[in-house]
Amino acid sequence: MSTFQAPKGTYDLTPPRSATFLAVREAISAPLRDSGYGYIETPGFENVELFARGVGESTDIVTKEMYTLTTKGGDQLALRPEGTASVLRAALEANLHKAGNLPVKLWYSGSYYRYERPQAGRYRHFSQVGAEAIGTEDPALDAELIILADQAYRSLGLRQFRILLNSLGDKECRPVYREALQSFLRDLDLDEETRRRIEINPLRVLDDKRADVQKQLTDAPKLRDYLCDACKAYHEEVRALLTAAGVAFEDDEKLVRGLDYYTRTTFEFVHDGLGSQSAVGGGGRYDGLSEMIGGPELPSVGWALGVDRTVLALEAEGVELDLPATTSVYAVPLGEEARRVLFGVVTELRRAGIAADFAFGGRGLKGAMKSANRSGARYTLVAGERDFAEGVVQLKDMESGEQSAVPLAEAAAELAKRLG
Ligand code: AMP
């Protein structure tokens, strides 16, 4: 193993590709910030207990994929595998739900960790932007979140994604369905592990990717037939609001998702250019989660969109984000005196809010001009001893190639004027 190799299942974000990741985080969070969601940041690790209780002891995430550790002080911690449980924990700790302003709408962005089998689009360290609306049961809130995710993807130029929608019922109707499903599944020809899953999380069996399992599931009882009237009406309202907003979705009865806490509305965003790891984001309603982690009853809904897979989706669709050059002016000094003076000009430009960079290290003209080109700067400032003798600097427009001498004292003002 090379000393410079990132750990298995992880990768670094380096320029220039890292700029796309920043732009994706920005694009996903912009519609949230414009819709009353406030920023929240929580630690990268939590007590193991939070995820065991919140995400669910029967999920792959908790049983197989969590990075757990015992601190020197004996605390059992886990690197966060997802955001919802942490955000809800933090909201409860800060009593945000008691400020008389429900729903508490929050957005976040950060790193998540799952010990998974690495493959394209599936990493052990990945990045999500998420949103949670805590403390309110209102189909318009579920619709809002789906509409905002759709808006975010569209603003990035993505088109080949689909929205899958389902309702998982609530604490009234889901247990009835669960039992009916269990007795159906127990009669099937399944392996040991799947049989165990029937007892702890039967809905996940519906999610099994194997063809021989799927064949046996054709006549499985359908959750739709078991939804109580309240759940049915709620789901119809979510669907109607999405339709009215012009957001297309597909009803997907098989959508159960890998976390235990979901109730009623569940949805996933899938992208058709990504192969097997096609889910770019997902979420749903989690009315029981607060009580599961020891809090009061707080019906809530949220989603998390994967930044890594969103970038892969952009690449799959051939979408190039229009990322403006980060540097507007590049200064190339020729000689000691020029270095000091132009460094001063660069500082002045930066303080005036103009993005400027400098050829460090006393490089020759040719190499420095190459860097100027690479920086994407619209203007280059070049100055040597002869220019200073005349009290000027050479200002080159990198687009037109035109070059003119500008009085040194006016260089910053002239650039500010030209750059508008
Ligand atoms: P989940 O919490 O599993 O619903 O994940 C939400 C989103 O996070 C997914 O749709 C993916 O875009 C992303 N995601 C989850 N796990 C991974 C992973 N191991 N590697 C990369 N992205 C992931």
Side-chain angles (χ1 to χ4, degrees):
M1 191 180 75
S2 147
T3 332
F4 300 129
Q5 182 99 48
K8 185 176 174 189
T10 71
Y11 64 101
D12 305 301
L13 291 179
T14 53
R17 197 166 174 254
S18 53
T20 304
F21 280 72
L22 271 186
V24 165
R25 289 195 188 108
E26 170 66 25
I28 296 176
S29 58
L32 297 169
R33 286 182 269 125
D34 288 345
S35 307
Y37 289 75
Y39 180 65
I40 185 165
E41 202 165 309
T42 65
F45 52 80
E46 296 275 351
N47 291 320
V48 164
E49 191 58 19
L50 175 70
F51 300 118
R53 286 211 260 163
V55 179
E57 307 229 50
S58 68
T59 61
D60 284 352
I61 292 180
V62 169
T63 56
K64 297 183 189 155
E65 297 169 2
M66 216 150 59
Y67 282 90
T68 53
L69 61 116
T70 307
T71 65
K72 292 202 174 87
D75 295 333
Q76 301 277 328
L77 302 177
L79 300 187
R80 57 185 181 186
E82 60 101 48
T84 303
S86 311
V87 167
L88 187 56
R89 195 266 313 137
L92 289 169
E93 181 174 338
N95 280 320
L96 298 184
H97 59 298
K98 289 188 183 155
N101 191 24
L102 296 178
V104 177
K105 300 210 282 188
L106 302 165
W107 76 273
Y108 58 89
S109 172
S111 292
Y112 297 85
Y113 308 86
R114 292 182 196 173
Y115 187 72
E116 304 202 72
R117 197 165 49 80
Q119 52 184 291
R122 180 180 288 277
Y123 312 106
R124 292 181 172 178
H125 165 263
F126 57 97
S127 164
Q128 292 181 337
V129 175
E132 314 291 348
I134 296 165
T136 303
E137 190 185 77
D138 183 340
L141 203 51
D142 307 38
E144 167 175 285
L145 278 162
I146 296 171
I147 293 166
L148 292 177
D150 177 80
Q151 188 179 325
Y153 284 143
R154 286 186 187 282
S155 77
L156 283 164
L158 285 177
R159 293 294 176 266
Q160 290 161 29
F161 65 89
R162 292 177 290 128
I163 301 172
L164 310 180
L165 186 68
N166 194 19
S167 172
L168 292 180
D170 64 7
K171 60 176 187 270
E172 303 303 323
C173 54
R174 174 121 126 242
V176 183
Y177 171 68
R178 192 185 135 104
E179 229 163 83
L181 182 63
Q182 277 176 325
S183 54
F184 171 86
L185 294 173
R186 284 188 195 117
D187 289 339
L188 301 183
D189 177 24
L190 298 165
D191 59 274
E192 263 312 296
E193 195 187 333
T194 311
R195 300 203 78 82
R196 261 200 305 279
R197 182 166 286 169
I198 295 174
E199 305 311 319
I200 47 183
N201 198 344
L203 270 72
R204 287 302 306 284
V205 179
L206 299 177
D207 215 13
D208 202 305
K209 300 281 183 288
R210 292 169 294 183
D212 60 310
V213 176
Q214 279 303 326
K215 219 168 83 194
Q216 299 187 68
L217 294 175
T218 323
D219 294 325
K222 302 250 182 292
L223 181 52
R224 186 180 43 192
D225 301 329
Y226 286 78
L227 288 186
C228 62
D229 288 343
C231 282
K232 258 189 224 159
Y234 193 95
H235 196 57
E236 280 317 308
E237 183 61 13
V238 174
R239 295 176 78 255
L241 290 166
L242 291 177
T243 304
V247 171
F249 58 87
E250 296 169 21
D251 293 307
D252 182 355
E253 284 215 312
K254 293 233 167 76
L255 183 70
V256 294
R257 297 184 42 74
L259 302 90
D260 272 357
Y261 52 60
Y262 287 114
T263 51
R264 290 197 167 169
T265 315
T266 39
F267 50 86
E268 208 154 79
F269 289 78
V270 293
H271 192 277
D272 292 324
L274 292 187
S276 65
Q277 303 307 312
S278 62
V280 286
R285 182 156 275 286
Y286 48 93
D287 293 342
L289 179 58
S290 174
E291 288 154 293
M292 280 159 76
I293 64 171
E297 189 183 339
L298 280 174
S300 308
V301 56
W303 51 240
L305 309 188
V307 176
D308 310 76
R309 285 190 203 162
T310 302
V311 172
L312 293 175
L314 288 169
E315 289 168 359
E317 280 198 44
V319 177
E320 293 255 354
L321 298 183
D322 186 18
L323 302 174
T326 46
T327 302
S328 301
V329 179
Y330 197 94
V332 177
L334 302 171
E336 259 314 291
E337 191 192 348
R339 193 174 64 87
R340 244 172 270 126
V341 176
L342 279 195
F343 188 71
V345 175
V346 163
T347 300
E348 193 184 341
L349 287 168
R350 289 172 175 168
R351 285 181 178 153
I354 294 171
D357 203 357
F358 185 77
F360 290 96
R363 305 162 64 193
L365 181 62
K366 212 170 136 201
M369 285 310 285
K370 223 186 227 171
S371 299
N373 259 321
R374 240 184 245 156
S375 77
R378 173 72 195 271
Y379 295 101
T380 311
L381 278 179
V382 187
E385 267 157 46
R386 203 178 318 144
D387 297 304
F388 286 133
E390 294 168 22
V392 299
V393 292
Q394 301 296 327
L395 176 59
K396 184 174 179 187
D397 183 332
M398 302 294 275
E399 236 163 61
S400 65
E402 264 169 57
Q403 186 169 316
S404 53
V406 175
L408 177 61
E410 286 162 30
E414 173 65 21
L415 280 164
K417 197 178 86 194
R418 290 206 198 183
L419 287 162

